[in-house]
Amino acid sequence: MNDTPLVLCRRTAEQITVDGVLSERSWAAVEPITLCRTDTGDAARFRTEVRLLWDDTYLYASFHCVDPDIWANMVLRDAPLWEEEVVEMFLDPNRSGNAYFEFVVNPLNTLTDVFVLNRWGQFKPLRDWNAEGVKHAVVVDGDPSDPLSEDRSWTMECAIPFRELVTAPNIPPKSGDSWRGNFYRIEQGYEWQEYTAWSPTGEVNFHHPERFGTIVFTSETA
């Protein structure tokens, strides 16, 4: 666990509008974390930048994905989005490794959210669980419905209500609280597949809570 990464999550000094544009000054003030190949830790083919913010109500996250071939088909909530191109966020507020939350969004702004039990080798995703009040938006520089379009990137922005993350020791968090978690992306082109992570898991499997990094909430504002 000592080699897993750590990120400071700073408070936003302004109201965040979840529209996928990232126009607020707070986003620009946050140093991004980047993803690498989850199996090897090597540099990714296409860059992914993740940023975090928080206030008394929400945890905010944004993903900016360089992608010359953006595509997605699924539009129903809780569809198996991981079969397509997606970004993913896993959150373990009480640091147990036994129960954590999974949020997945594709370039069509479809959301899948799962409460995962993962203990003693038994993996049980509770896909009927839904986080109420999640805000999410996607902006695509390209056209995910046209395989011949000249695509460049897509950006996902979301706000997750702390009240839905019921395993957290404090809601909202207190400055200095630390959670475990990880951030992922699945990139699928015509000639490649790439699975990337903030904290590499050592294989093409994101469900390794022992490899989660640390998210520390700070009262320092962005």
Side-chain angles (χ1 to χ4, degrees):
M1 187 182 300
N2 292 335
D3 64 339
T4 57
L6 180 148
V7 64
L8 294 179
C9 184
R10 298 164 64 185
R11 286 186 67 96
T12 175
E14 60 191 321
Q15 183 175 352
I16 300 295
T17 300
V18 178
D19 55 9
V21 178
L22 310 185
S23 57
E24 292 84 2
R25 289 176 295 177
S26 293
W27 285 125
V30 173
E31 184 72 19
I33 60 176
T34 59
L35 307 189
C36 59
R37 287 183 55 180
T38 196
D39 52 347
T40 65
D42 293 339
R45 179 189 294 265
F46 301 114
R47 185 174 178 87
T48 307
E49 294 184 345
V50 181
R51 290 175 169 86
L52 300 176
L53 291 166
W54 70 291
D55 60 22
D56 287 340
T57 306
Y58 296 104
L59 172 65
Y60 301 93
S62 68
F63 289 70
H64 179 71
C65 307
V66 175
D67 191 345
D69 178 23
I70 304 168
W71 67 274
N73 296 303
M74 298 183 189
V75 297
L76 296 179
R77 183 165 180 170
D78 293 334
L81 299 183
W82 44 85
E83 296 176 3
E84 301 184 344
E85 294 197 320
V86 293
V87 293
E88 305 191 33
M89 177 167 54
F90 288 19
L91 298 171
D92 181 4
N94 69 359
R95 304 173 57 91
S96 70
N98 300 323
Y100 49 90
F101 304 91
E102 176 181 1
F103 298 90
V104 188
V105 180
N106 72 3
L108 298 179
N109 196 33
T110 307
L111 170 68
T112 289
D113 46 1
V114 184
F115 184 58
V116 179
L117 301 177
N118 192 347
R119 192 175 188 183
W120 298 318
Q122 296 184 356
F123 173 74
K124 294 183 179 180
L126 305 181
R127 297 193 174 97
D128 289 338
W129 175 82
N130 282 334
E132 300 299 330
V134 176
K135 302 177 182 180
H136 52 103
V138 170
V139 170
V140 176
D141 186 0
D143 185 351
S145 66
D146 182 0
L148 300 179
S149 64
E150 295 183 3
D151 304 327
R152 286 158 291 277
S153 66
W154 61 287
T155 302
M156 192 282 291
E157 182 180 23
C158 67
I160 300 172
F162 285 119
R163 68 174 183 270
E164 297 300 303
L165 305 177
V166 295
T167 61
N170 297 302
I171 298 176
K174 296 180 180 179
S175 181
D177 281 1
S178 64
W179 294 5
R180 303 292 307 287
N182 214 341
F183 308 98
Y184 308 103
R185 175 184 173 188
I186 299 176
E187 161 61 23
Q188 299 190 37
Y190 284 111
E191 298 179 353
W192 67 81
Q193 290 185 336
E194 186 169 63
Y195 298 80
T196 53
W198 173 43
S199 180
T201 61
E203 63 174 334
V204 180
N205 179 359
F206 294 155
H207 289 274
H208 281 280
E210 75 281 1
R211 293 295 307 163
F212 286 178
T214 300
I215 301 165
V216 178
F217 294 88
T218 174
S219 59
E220 179 184 352
T221 58

